[in-house]
């Protein structure tokens, strides 16, 4: 009985009054919550191992840092459901919370919202799915002594893990634009033993110059571009990891700063809450809102349909190949990125009034320009198949100033250039 351990000095083996009466008091309930949280964490780490996470230091800190202590309440939907005002539920994390709440918070594939207009299908801050947390910590290659800047403090859970991995919380800086989150998270970090982490409110795109240089910069929000301040504040040979907007996705991009410039690569698939602040007003792929038009389905040509077919039709619709095609589509056309919440969808194009999107072995078409968009989508799909259906790992990235002259001509096999806010992203298809 955990309650037997709660006596004061000289009473270490005597239950307190609430326990003697078999009525759990607040301390007993907190011990029970932590015990259940520990069980949920152990299951979370075992699930991460099964998914292929093999970085032992990362798994160790995720097993030890109490994820449930960083979230007072959250909003989520059942796995596989769409986020709508009707499907979202609020969960409170306290001594009386259910096992369902704890297991959902520790579900390795589920991100939960902790801030935002919950009556609409958006969120302004979330706590990332554990598999994304583990993947990004692994990709940062953290070790003792590194100085780290995190953009997007959120709940503080991720920055606590970073502090554990670098061995000294005073080496870690985190910036958050939401003042309410800063007011909640800074005391929480102090309370949980991470008070030496430097927490500051402000636009993360500006970095934190007074704490530079940093060996690593990590953004935990979906970014429109690399912020010049991050590069200025990054030490030579340092690395930047950010979810970089690409159509409606935010694939994770690792960028290394060297005398030869900024060289990067895609390192993983993901979708993040979009960044706030100075970057938020920019739309690189502008037509991402659903189109309210009647959709008709047409057969997808067999080469593309075969390439995109999931290995197991009974499993989730989104497969590796759909992400890979979506990446190529976003490189080739700024109309990429449409998502229609009414039905399971795949890669698509939209001009704001019309759309064409992959749906299983069909292409869904709607709106006055739907036929034109369908033809463009299928043409790009044929090019992707002809190139061997390249995945994200096939692309090499270089970032230069947008002032470096005109964009090179667009060709099916590259190289390609994507103008962002301050940087031009050059994309080359490697052999």
């Amino acid at each position: 009985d955990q309650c037997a351990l709660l006596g004061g000095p000289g009473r270490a083996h005597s239950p307190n009054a609430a326990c003697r009466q078999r009525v759990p008091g607040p301390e007993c309930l907190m011990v029970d919550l932590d015990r259940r949280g520990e069980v949920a964490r152990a299951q979370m780490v075992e699930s991460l191992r099964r998914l292929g996470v093999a970085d032992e230091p990362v798994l160790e800190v995720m097993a030890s840092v109490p994820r449930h202590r960083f979230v007072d309440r959250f909003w989520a939907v059942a796995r596989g459901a769409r986020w709508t005002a009707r499907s979202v539920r609020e969960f409170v994390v306290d001594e009386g919370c259910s096992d369902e709440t704890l297991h959902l918070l520790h579900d390795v594939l589920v991100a939960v919202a902790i801030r935002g207009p919950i009556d609409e299908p958006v969120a302004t801050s979330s706590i990332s799915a554990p598999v994304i947390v583990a993947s990004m910590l692994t990709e940062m290659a953290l070790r003792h002594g590194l100085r780290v800047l995190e953009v997007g403090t959120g709940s503080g859970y991720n920055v606590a893990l970073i502090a554990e991995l670098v061995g000294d919380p005073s080496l870690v800086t985190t910036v958050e634009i939401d003042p309410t989150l800063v007011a909640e998270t800074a005391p929480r970090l102090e309370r949980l033993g991470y008070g030496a982490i430097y927490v500051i409110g402000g636009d993360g795109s500006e970095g934190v110059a007074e704490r530079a240089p940093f060996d690593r910069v990590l953004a935990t929000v979906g970014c429109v571009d690399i912020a010049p301040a991050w590069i200025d504040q990054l030490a030579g040979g340092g690395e930047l990891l950010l979810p970089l907007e690409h159509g409606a996705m935010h694939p994770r991009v690792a960028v290394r700063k060297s005398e030869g410039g900024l060289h990067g690569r895609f390192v993983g698939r993901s979708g993040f809450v979009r960044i706030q602040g100075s970057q938020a007003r920019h739309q690189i792929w502008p037509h991402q809102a659903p189109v309210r038009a009647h959709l008709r389905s047409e057969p997808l040509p067999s080469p593309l349909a075969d390439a995109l077919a999931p290995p197991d039709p009974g499993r989730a619709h989104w497969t590796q190949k759909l992400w890979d095609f979506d990446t190529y589509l976003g490189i080739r056309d700024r109309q990429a990125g449409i998502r229609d919440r009414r039905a399971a969808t795949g890669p698509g194009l939209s001009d704001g009034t019309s759309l064409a999107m992959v749906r299983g072995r069909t292409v869904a078409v709607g709106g006055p320009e739907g036929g034109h968009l369908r033809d463009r989508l299928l043409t790009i799909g044929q090019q992707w198949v002809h190139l061997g259906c390249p995945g994200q790992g096939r692309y090499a990235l270089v970032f230069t100033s947008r002032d470096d002259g005109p964009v090179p001509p667009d060709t099916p096999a590259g190289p390609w250039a994507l103008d962002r806010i301050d940087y031009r992203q050059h994309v080359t298809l490697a052999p």
Side-chain angles (χ1 to χ4, degrees):
D1 190 336
Q2 295 290 333
C3 297
L5 305 178
L6 293 175
R11 303 170 53 219
H13 301 289
S14 300
N16 60 28
C19 296
R20 286 198 301 270
Q21 298 170 22
R22 314 309 297 169
V23 178
E27 290 179 315
C28 297
L29 290 172
M30 181 57 74
V31 167
D32 182 62
L33 175 63
D34 287 341
R35 178 187 60 79
R36 292 189 293 137
E38 185 175 0
V39 171
R41 283 201 309 281
Q43 294 172 343
M44 173 186 74
V45 170
E46 183 57 34
S47 295
L48 290 172
R49 291 185 191 278
R50 290 197 296 268
L51 287 175
V53 177
D55 189 317
E56 285 303 322
V58 168
L59 291 171
E60 288 173 8
V61 298
M62 293 187 72
S64 63
V65 174
R67 182 175 169 95
H68 68 280
R69 287 292 194 98
F70 290 84
V71 184
D72 297 323
R73 66 183 61 234
F74 64 88
W75 292 264
V77 298
R79 186 192 292 183
R82 287 175 179 76
W83 186 289
T84 67
R86 291 185 176 182
S87 63
V88 69
R89 290 177 56 195
E90 180 184 31
F91 297 83
V92 177
V93 184
D94 62 12
E95 295 85 351
C97 72
S98 66
D99 287 342
E100 176 196 8
T101 297
L102 284 176
H103 287 302
L104 182 59
L105 181 60
H106 291 82
D107 189 318
V108 292
L109 300 179
V110 173
V112 300
I114 60 173
R115 182 73 79 251
I118 305 305
D119 56 340
E120 297 181 11
V122 295
T124 58
S125 186
S126 67
I127 181 166
S128 296
V131 69
I132 296 296
V133 173
S135 297
M136 294 184 76
L137 293 175
T138 298
E139 290 152 6
M140 290 181 72
L142 296 175
R143 60 181 184 273
H144 277 211
L146 292 184
R147 298 179 61 86
V148 180
L149 169 65
E150 179 197 53
V151 177
T153 310
S155 69
Y157 172 67
N158 194 69
V159 76
L161 296 171
I162 292 172
E164 294 284 352
L165 288 166
V166 302
D168 182 354
S170 69
L171 296 174
V172 183
T173 302
T174 183
V175 56
E176 170 62 52
I177 198 169
D178 185 333
T180 305
L181 274 177
V182 175
E184 293 176 359
T185 301
R188 178 186 297 129
L189 289 168
E190 177 80 37
R191 190 166 60 249
L192 294 175
Y194 300 99
I197 294 174
Y198 189 81
V199 183
I200 188 171
D203 187 342
S205 296
E206 299 174 1
V208 186
E210 64 268 28
R211 297 274 291 174
F214 302 102
D215 302 296
R216 300 285 189 274
V217 175
L218 168 69
T220 58
V221 291
C223 302
V224 184
D225 196 4
I226 297 172
W230 301 340
I231 302 303
D232 293 342
Q233 296 168 24
L234 195 62
E239 295 186 6
L240 165 67
L241 178 65
L242 73 164
L244 189 59
E245 188 168 275
H246 190 97
M249 305 183 298
H250 295 108
R252 304 190 303 280
V253 173
V255 179
R256 175 175 285 273
K257 178 183 179 181
S258 67
E259 293 183 358
L262 301 176
H263 296 265
R265 67 192 190 281
F266 293 115
V267 293
R269 310 184 307 275
S270 53
F272 273 76
V273 171
R274 199 169 191 268
I275 195 169
Q276 301 177 64
S278 58
Q279 286 196 14
R281 65 178 180 270
H282 297 274
Q283 287 285 131
I284 309 301
W285 287 265
H287 303 300
Q288 295 183 14
V291 173
R292 303 305 178 188
H294 173 72
L295 302 181
R296 64 183 185 278
S297 294
E298 303 175 6
L300 200 62
S302 57
L304 182 58
D306 293 341
L308 296 176
D312 180 356
R315 300 295 292 259
H317 177 74
W318 272 91
T319 67
Q320 172 77 47
K321 286 300 182 181
L322 284 166
W323 283 96
D324 292 342
F325 176 46
D326 218 7
T327 301
Y328 182 74
L329 188 64
I331 292 171
R332 298 302 316 283
D333 199 312
R334 292 302 180 96
Q335 298 176 112
I338 183 67
R339 293 292 177 269
D340 187 335
R341 297 180 183 275
R342 294 171 293 173
T345 63
L349 301 174
S350 172
D351 64 2
T353 64
S354 308
L355 63 81
M357 72 184 94
V358 174
R359 181 183 290 170
R361 296 186 68 89
T362 68
V363 55
V365 182
E369 297 298 321
H372 171 74
L373 293 171
R374 173 205 58 210
D375 293 344
R376 173 68 174 161
L377 176 67
L378 296 181
T379 296
I380 295 175
Q382 291 166 359
Q383 294 167 354
W384 178 71
V385 172
H386 180 73
L387 292 172
C389 304
Q392 289 184 343
R394 286 278 306 277
Y395 301 106
L397 312 177
V398 175
F399 295 87
T400 64
S401 169
R402 283 191 57 175
D403 300 328
D404 287 351
V407 176
D410 184 52
T411 62
W416 308 278
L418 302 174
D419 276 349
R420 295 185 177 270
I421 304 171
D422 297 289
Y423 289 94
R424 178 169 295 160
Q425 179 183 347
H426 302 267
V427 184
T428 302
L429 186 64

